[in-house]
Every structure is written in C-alpha cells, then in structure tokens.
Amino acid sequence: MKTYANWKGDMDEYLQVGDEVDEEMADHFLNVMPPACWRSDIIQIGEPYSHVGGRATYATLRKDSGRWYYAGHCFRGEVTQAAGA
C-alpha cells in the first residue's frame, strides 16, 4: 500500500496504476483543491494533468471493496487511464 506519509517528490513517480493507497492519500486528492469529480467510488484532483484529444485528464483514485486504488490520468468521471495520458 502506498501511503501519503511516504510520498516524496513527483506523484507520477510514486504512484503506478493499480497501487492501493491509504485514506490519507484519498483525503489529499479530495482536499488539495475542489475535485473535478467526487463520488463514493471516484475522486479526481480538480486541476487537469494533461489533454488527450482535446479532453482534460485528471489524476484519479477509484474505490473497490472499500479500498482506494490509483487509476492514473483519466477523463472526468472515468476510471480507466486515457490512452496517451
């Protein structure tokens, strides 16, 4: 499990798609700025990471069986990393 407390440096170097993250990391995604998407099963950081095909991608966490996982850089409301992100 990747923890917020152990995170140093660039998020993209620390987190890989599929990594389980702790609640503190989920809280960071939720509170760093107003989220782009926030539902019971998804949190996306409010600032776009990049644009693919003219659509913004966002750093995304998805919840499965009560645990949070890093999903990569996904389109708003989605939990599959965008091709080319």
Side-chain angles (χ1 to χ4, degrees), residues 16 32 66 69 77 80:
Q16 302 298 313
V32 67
Y69 298 90
T80 302

Side-chain angles (χ1 to χ4, degrees), residues 16-63:
Q16 302 298 313
V17 172
D19 284 346
E20 183 179 353
V21 300
D22 65 359
E23 286 293 327
E24 194 174 3
M25 182 71 76
D27 289 342
H28 171 75
F29 268 60
L30 184 60
N31 296 315
V32 67
M33 61 181 47
C37 181
W38 176 27
R39 301 187 316 236
S40 62
D41 64 340
I42 185 173
I43 302 172
Q44 291 179 308
I45 291 179
E47 182 175 315
Y49 170 77
S50 67
H51 288 79
V52 176
R55 295 175 60 196
T57 65
Y58 302 88
T60 303
L61 296 181
R62 66 172 178 80
K63 196 171 202 176

